[in-house]
Amino acid sequence: MSKLILTVDDSASMRMLLKATLTAQGFRIEAANDGNHGLERMLEVQPDLLITDINMPGMDGFGLIEEVRKLPQFRGTPILVLSTEFAEDKKTRARSAGATGWITKPFDAERLASAIRRVCP
């Protein structure tokens, strides 16, 4: 069965782009529009992988990663950050919160799929 990925981004166009790109790569996709919604969806759909933006209203990506990592059932779930941010301090903060990897927007579909397969075989 194909892997289920939860994408969390406040941009509707980015959620649609991720869904189209990742569905074409054979993944099943669920989406959320911010960190709070993302945490709810994590509990509902129990994804194999979380992809989250950092800059979102309400709970940002850092907060979402921290909250997800507090839940025992998601301690081993890979989390990829997909963001326009690329500053080293942001990447360090994401890793400290529990992120598995970082991909900078705009993303290349093949590189994204490769990164997903690396962290979620």
Side-chain angles (χ1 to χ4, degrees):
M1 180 181 273
S2 62
K3 300 286 185 186
L4 176 61
I5 299 171
L6 175 63
T7 63
V8 183
D9 199 300
D10 58 321
S11 162
S13 58
M14 182 55 67
R15 289 192 307 272
M16 288 190 310
L17 178 60
L18 281 167
K19 182 168 185 147
T21 301
L22 296 175
T23 301
Q25 298 275 354
F27 299 106
R28 294 177 298 133
I29 305 302
E30 292 289 335
N33 55 21
D34 64 27
N36 291 312
H37 188 217
L39 189 57
E40 286 174 29
R41 297 295 290 150
M42 284 293 293
L43 294 165
E44 290 169 6
V45 303
Q46 307 277 315
D48 299 300
L49 170 71
L50 170 63
I51 297 176
T52 184
D53 188 16
I54 288 296
N55 298 316
M56 298 180 287
M59 185 191 302
D60 67 9
F62 296 122
L64 175 59
I65 295 165
E66 289 166 358
E67 290 303 311
V68 166
R69 288 297 187 222
K70 288 178 186 174
L71 301 169
Q73 68 268 42
F74 299 125
R75 292 228 171 93
T77 302
I79 300 174
L80 292 177
V81 173
L82 181 63
S83 177
T84 56
E85 298 281 350
F86 55 86
E88 208 49 51
D89 63 319
K90 303 258 185 179
K91 292 179 181 179
T92 299
R93 184 173 170 202
R95 274 193 298 274
S96 295
T100 312
W102 188 286
I103 298 162
T104 305
K105 294 178 190 172
F107 65 88
D108 173 81
E110 289 301 319
R111 289 170 91 188
L112 179 59
S114 174
I116 290 168
R117 289 189 181 94
R118 228 180 0 262
V119 300
C120 193

